[in-house]
Amino acid sequence: MSEQKRTKRAGKVYLVGAGPGDPGLITVRGKYLLGKAEVVVYDYLANPKLLKHVPKGAELIYAGKKGGVKHTHTQEEINQMLVDWAEAGKTVVRLKGGDPFIFGRGGEEVEVLANLGINFEVVPGVTSATAAATYAGIPITHREHTASVAFLTGHEDPTKADSNIDWAKLATGAGTLVVYMGIKNLPIIVENLIANGRDPKTPVAVVRWASTPEQRSVVGTLENIAEIVQGAGIKPPALIIVGEVVTLRDTIDWFEKRPLFGKKIVVTRTREQASELVAGLEESGANCLEFSTIQIEPVPSYEVIDEELDRLEEYHWILFTSLNGVNFFFERLYEKGLDAREMKGVGIAAVGKATADLLLTYGVRVDLLPDVFTGEGLAESLLDQGVEGRNILIPRALKAREILPETLRGAGAQVTVAPVYQNVAPEGKREQLRTQLESGDVDMVTFTSSSTVRNFLSMVGTSDPGELKALMRNVLIAAIGPITAKTVTDNGLEVSIQPESHTIPDLTHEIVEYYKEEKKRK
Ligand code: SAH
């Protein structure tokens, strides 16, 4: 063996279950491996959101495979791809929906690797059968209803003489039956079960896109489920759950009953800050469409702030009016080799609670928090303290409302505004947002600052008020506070939801309450 060959790093293939759809349902090991992957080969049923765990620069290959639709790659091509990448020394994650060894052809893929002596490992996943049952409020087994469950494929034609499935035995042989890939053959499947002795009145549930915001379930009996599914227009991917346990859904259904389930909510925030609102809304079942209408970027010049950082002790007050203001201020401070001790003896004020909390993570406790969390509120609280002749520093966005510095100057303060970051509108998502609005299934748009409103409007790309109104006709608007709301109404739109206190948790709460009330009204 040549020296080069011996030292060549051996590749390895990790066959990883992606779970049923909710990206939170991948295993800890699966997520860890995605974080190490150099190549990821993923399927139609593996949620693409999981790819965010993959390091930048890794090769991402979509292997397709959607029932009935032309396959992107044949199984042979996929097998060969895994072999080639592994032989090239790569760490390969083969990401498959649900569990790779349950109707996923994972067995065939690793057989090939085993035969060629290629290193591999298999990480199980939450299979869609258990997820669909759980998320539809159906315990797949239950002491009072059934002690056995069978997973079967409905892909085969059940009338086929040489069927691999012994319908005669299965029809009554297991308490709960879960059928994968059975939507197309549903009429023949139920007929077969009845013909083989299963009670026609047996309850059946069909669950589509289980564990995702698009989940949809219908319930019936063996006799009528085929008709119900057809009437409801339910298409694959869906699972069929047959058995007495289905009746428990009436009591246990929890996922589809969450207050925001089925609501499509556009969240307009900065990329960096969207997570708290999105997490809160998703917790209550919303389907969030994130549009970063603002991108936060450094300013072209840090001249002003850099100069002021050298003489912080001369200030009486430093005012923080945003989270980004805090983060960029400290970034700059640290860059200069300084730290929070420079602020000793200087009064610190924050516009709101979140900003104050963030300051605390930098080791700085605020001396002043206004009663009303706005620029005006902050100005008022400061005026109460008397600001005449005081030196005040405001590290903030390049473009921002001037009301705070102007009010303070008007009262005789020496105010220095130091831009530490800027808001820019990102390119690219424009078309997607338009399409969503035009499709008419957006329920709500949320705004958390005036700039999110302005950037949203520029993304929607119309200055015609009539056209804007038409696009937003059935869309509710939630605004975090009065200033943001005013920007909305100034643009001819109406605000339906506005929390009393201007924080993200309060905005989330207000939205949830709104839809709870709406449900009651229905
Ligand atoms: N290995 C996968 C199954 C692949 S077979 C697993 O363990 O879940 C593909 C079939 O799985 C689909 O036709 C559908 O019946 C089912 N399926 C997969 N994900 C699903 C989901 N989120 N909701 C409903 N059914 C799903």
Side-chain angles (χ1 to χ4, degrees):
M1 202 190 259
S2 77
E3 192 61 28
Q4 204 192 350
K5 252 213 166 138
R6 227 181 300 136
T7 53
K8 194 177 139 199
R9 190 165 62 108
K12 186 163 177 180
V13 178
Y14 297 89
L15 180 59
V16 174
D22 177 346
L25 291 178
I26 190 171
T27 61
V28 173
R29 175 121 186 104
K31 181 177 158 193
Y32 167 76
L33 290 169
L34 281 176
K36 292 206 322 173
E38 292 168 295
V39 181
V40 178
V41 183
Y42 63 102
D43 275 358
Y44 166 64
L45 285 171
N47 192 330
K49 280 191 178 167
L50 288 169
L51 299 176
K52 72 166 187 236
H53 302 305
V54 178
K56 278 204 181 82
E59 192 89 31
L60 301 176
I61 300 162
Y62 177 60
K65 283 188 146 231
K66 186 171 163 181
V69 178
K70 191 174 155 281
H71 291 180
T72 314
H73 292 278
T74 65
Q75 189 62 50
E76 289 64 37
E77 283 168 356
I78 294 170
N79 296 349
Q80 192 55 48
M81 202 151 42
L82 299 178
V83 170
D84 291 346
W85 284 112
E87 285 185 337
K90 299 291 183 194
T91 300
V92 185
V93 168
R94 170 70 176 120
L95 190 64
K96 294 175 84 76
D99 182 281
F101 278 1
I102 299 183
F103 301 125
R105 301 189 71 169
E108 294 164 52
E109 291 177 14
V110 292
E111 265 176 311
V112 173
L113 302 174
N115 288 335
L116 291 170
I118 291 170
N119 270 329
F120 68 88
E121 181 182 315
V122 186
V123 181
V126 174
T127 190
S128 54
T130 53
T134 304
Y135 281 66
I138 301 168
I140 216 165
T141 72
H142 191 286
R143 280 211 307 177
E144 278 162 33
H145 297 275
T146 173
S148 61
V149 52
F151 292 167
L152 33 151
T153 167
H155 193 54
E156 292 194 358
D157 180 352
T159 54
K160 206 169 68 175
D162 59 349
S163 168
N164 284 321
I165 297 174
D166 190 339
W167 291 94
K169 289 210 174 104
L170 270 172
T172 52
T176 309
L177 300 173
V178 187
V179 188
Y180 292 72
M181 297 174 278
I183 294 305
K184 197 168 121 249
N185 288 330
L186 182 60
I188 329 174
I189 291 169
V190 292
E191 210 179 275
N192 231 343
L193 290 173
I194 295 171
N196 283 293
R198 193 80 187 222
D199 183 349
K201 299 271 180 266
T202 309
V204 184
V206 171
V207 187
R208 180 169 199 245
W209 279 128
S211 81
T212 74
E214 272 100 75
Q215 175 171 316
R216 214 171 142 213
S217 324
V218 291
V219 176
T221 62
L222 279 181
E223 270 176 328
N224 63 17
I225 192 70
E227 212 178 304
I228 292 174
V229 163
Q230 208 203 4
I234 295 204
K235 305 231 153 53
L239 283 157
I240 307 158
I241 305 169
V242 181
E244 289 304 322
V245 284
V246 169
T247 54
L248 294 165
R249 172 174 160 84
D250 289 340
T251 321
I252 298 176
D253 182 22
W254 58 275
F255 184 72
E256 293 172 31
K257 286 229 174 94
R258 294 169 308 157
L260 302 185
F261 184 77
K263 299 294 172 204
K264 219 178 224 189
I265 302 183
V266 170
V267 175
T268 55
R269 277 212 85 168
T270 65
R271 187 182 294 289
E272 292 74 14
Q273 297 175 341
S275 45
E276 194 191 354
L277 182 57
V278 170
L281 295 173
E282 283 182 348
E283 197 62 34
S284 293
N287 183 3
C288 288
L289 305 169
E290 278 180 72
F291 287 95
S292 354
T293 62
I294 299 179
Q295 205 161 297
I296 299 302
E297 288 190 355
V299 281
S301 157
Y302 282 107
E303 217 175 306
V304 181
I305 186 71
D306 283 355
E307 238 169 69
E308 303 312 313
L309 287 176
D310 285 333
R311 50 179 209 105
L312 285 182
E313 75 283 354
E314 291 170 28
Y315 279 99
H316 298 102
W317 286 104
I318 305 178
L319 315 184
F320 290 96
T321 53
S322 67
L323 298 173
N324 291 306
V326 174
N327 287 328
F328 279 86
F329 175 86
F330 278 95
E331 195 171 291
R332 219 51 218 167
L333 189 71
Y334 294 164
E335 188 94 337
K336 288 187 87 129
L338 305 172
D339 61 36
R341 285 172 297 179
E342 299 298 317
M343 302 160 84
K344 186 161 165 45
V346 184
I348 305 292
V351 70
K353 174 114 185 14
T355 310
D357 289 345
L358 181 62
L359 277 163
L360 205 51
T361 67
Y362 286 98
V364 174
R365 194 181 292 284
V366 300
D367 302 294
L368 183 88
L369 199 60
D371 296 331
V372 184
F373 295 168
T374 62
E376 285 85 341
L378 181 55
E380 207 162 293
S381 302
L382 276 161
L383 292 186
D384 288 346
Q385 310 248 337
V387 295
E388 195 170 351
R390 306 257 118 183
N391 277 333
I392 300 178
L393 178 66
I394 313 179
R396 57 158 223 197
L398 186 61
K399 269 192 236 154
R401 296 190 311 133
E402 297 301 332
I403 186 86
L404 179 62
E406 272 168 14
T407 312
L408 297 173
R409 281 187 194 120
Q414 287 286 336
V415 181
T416 306
V417 168
V420 290
Y421 69 96
Q422 60 178 332
N423 298 320
V424 291
E427 292 299 312
K429 285 251 192 150
R430 184 162 292 192
E431 217 151 282
Q432 207 188 326
L433 177 60
R434 255 315 277 219
T435 317
Q436 284 291 344
L437 289 172
E438 275 163 10
S439 77
D441 42 48
V442 172
D443 294 283
M444 179 180 284
V445 178
T446 59
F447 294 117
T448 50
S449 69
S450 289
S451 6
T452 60
V453 182
R454 283 191 287 271
N455 288 335
F456 172 83
L457 294 173
S458 97
M459 260 173 104
V460 171
T462 177
S463 48
D464 170 7
E467 194 186 345
L468 183 62
K469 266 215 163 124
L471 269 177
M472 299 290 285
R473 198 181 30 185
N474 295 318
V475 182
L476 294 172
I477 293 178
I480 195 161
I483 310 289
T484 310
K486 181 158 185 309
T487 313
V488 172
T489 47
D490 284 350
N491 283 285
L493 297 171
E494 210 176 290
V495 173
S496 305
I497 288 150
Q498 191 186 314
E500 245 165 66
S501 185
H502 320 140
T503 69
I504 297 286
D506 288 300
L507 177 63
T508 313
H509 178 77
E510 203 66 25
I511 293 172
V512 170
E513 287 307 309
Y514 178 91
Y515 280 117
K516 273 192 188 159
E517 282 300 312
E518 188 197 66
K519 262 196 185 152
K520 267 191 234 151
R521 281 195 298 272
K522 274 186 182 164

